[in-house]
Amino acid sequence: MDRGDGHQVAQRTVLPLEFYARDTLIVARELLGQRLVRMIEGVRLSGHIVEVEAYQGEDDLASHAARGKTLRNAVMFGPPGHAYVYFTYGMHYCLNVVTEPEGTPAAVLIRAIAPIEGLEMMRQNRPGQPDEELTNGPAKLCQALRIDRTCNGVPLTEASGLFIERDQMPAIEQIATSPRIGVRGDERALTIPWRFFIRDHPYVSLKEGRRRKPTMDSW
DNA sequence: CTCTCGATGCGCT
DNA sequence: GCGCATCGAGAGA
C-alpha cells in the first residue's frame, strides 16, 4: 500500500467528523499539513494542505453566511465535516469544510495544497500548467481534483470519495498568518488575520513578501 | 518580473 | 442589474 510519498508505513487515519465540530480557528490551523484526498475513477489524488482561511461568526462580513441562510450557503449552517463547495466568477469552484456544531455557520476555505499522489491525473485536469500551478489556489485545486457542485454537501468520509487524512502537522514556527485574500467587508473583515499558511511554501497561493492589490499592510 | 483586465454563471438587492 | 472567498492572458518595465 501507499505508493504515494513512499515514506509513511503506518496506516493513515481519516479525520473523523468530530474533528470539525470545534472552534473554526483551531480547525483551520490544525488542517495545515493534513492530506486532502480525492478519489477519481479509483485513483487517489491527494496533497498536503498548505493554506487555509477561516470564515466564522455572525458578524464576519466576509463570510457568505453574513446575511443569513440562503439556498447557496445552507451547507455552512449544517453539520460539521461536510464539504461546502461554491461556484463563483462564472467559472470557478472553491472548497470549504464546514466547522462548528450544526446551526452555527462557519467553514474553512482550502486555498492551496501541495500535490502528493495522482500528479498525472492532476496534470490532465489542468492542461498546459506547470506543476507549481496545479493546486496553488482555491479554484486551481478544485480543478485539479475535479471538485465541483456535485461535491457540495457531501460528508468528508471515504465513502464520499472526498476526505482528509491525518498526516503531518507543521511546527508552530512554520505557520504564518495574514488577512484573508480577496474578501470584502468592513475594516475588521479586511484586517483580521484568519488566513493560515505554511511559511515559504512553494504552493502557497501568494508569495510572501509580495503584496496584494490596494490592500493594507499586515503581514 | 508586475499590473490590468476580461471571462462568464448565478445569487442576491 | 451588480458583484463575486478567482484565474490567466497580455502588455509594459
Side-chain angles (χ1 to χ4, degrees):
Chain A
M1 65 170 278
D2 194 15
R3 21 180 297 283
D5 55 17
H7 287 276
Q8 269 315 47
V9 183
Q11 188 170 347
R12 251 181 272 284
T13 323
V14 175
L15 294 180
L17 298 188
E18 305 86 63
F19 173 90
Y20 306 95
R22 298 179 294 152
D23 180 88
T24 306
L25 299 179
I26 301 289
V27 174
R29 264 191 298 263
E30 293 191 3
L31 279 175
L32 290 176
Q34 314 299 353
R35 183 181 303 213
L36 176 65
V37 182
R38 173 71 167 145
M39 299 300 300
I40 296 290
E41 297 162 7
V43 179
R44 270 175 68 100
L45 309 181
S46 73
H48 284 129
I49 297 170
V50 298
E51 179 183 353
V52 298
E53 282 175 1
Y55 290 84
Q56 174 194 43
E58 314 284 326
D59 48 348
D60 180 6
L61 293 187
S63 170
H64 289 170
R67 290 187 296 276
K69 187 176 179 177
T70 67
L71 199 55
R72 183 201 196 202
N73 64 24
V75 175
M76 285 186 78
F77 290 75
H82 289 238
Y84 168 46
V85 178
Y86 67 87
F87 180 71
T88 191
Y89 292 105
M91 61 188 83
H92 297 304
Y93 295 98
C94 292
L95 169 68
N96 295 253
V97 300
V98 176
T99 59
E100 312 266 355
E102 182 163 4
T104 304
V108 175
L109 171 69
I110 310 297
R111 283 196 58 91
I113 67 174
I116 303 171
E117 303 165 277
L119 262 292
E120 278 197 16
M121 192 176 282
M122 291 189 203
R123 293 184 186 114
Q124 290 174 13
N125 293 339
R126 283 180 52 70
Q129 297 297 332
D131 285 0
E132 319 82 56
E133 300 279 332
L134 288 177
T135 55
N136 64 337
K140 296 177 185 178
L141 73 89
C142 283
Q143 191 183 353
L145 302 186
R146 293 198 211 166
I147 292 167
D148 60 22
R149 67 181 78 242
T150 66
C151 298
N152 190 39
V154 306
L156 300 174
T157 60
E158 280 186 278
S160 75
L162 179 63
F163 54 96
I164 301 176
E165 290 176 343
R166 188 173 298 286
D167 205 321
Q168 47 187 239
M169 258 190 82
I172 295 287
E173 62 269 20
Q174 290 308 116
I175 299 178
T177 68
S178 84
R180 293 168 294 183
I181 305 296
V183 299
R184 320 223 333 149
D186 57 6
E187 183 71 12
R188 174 181 137 96
L190 293 178
T191 57
I192 195 164
W194 281 358
R195 172 177 178 243
F196 302 90
F197 58 101
I198 298 184
R199 196 181 297 281
D200 296 326
H201 196 287
Y203 278 87
V204 165
S205 66
L206 294 180
K207 288 174 184 159
E208 252 176 300
R210 183 180 161 198
R211 208 162 296 173
R212 193 61 164 175
K213 309 208 173 164
T215 43
M216 55 226 63
D217 303 14
S218 272
W219 79 87

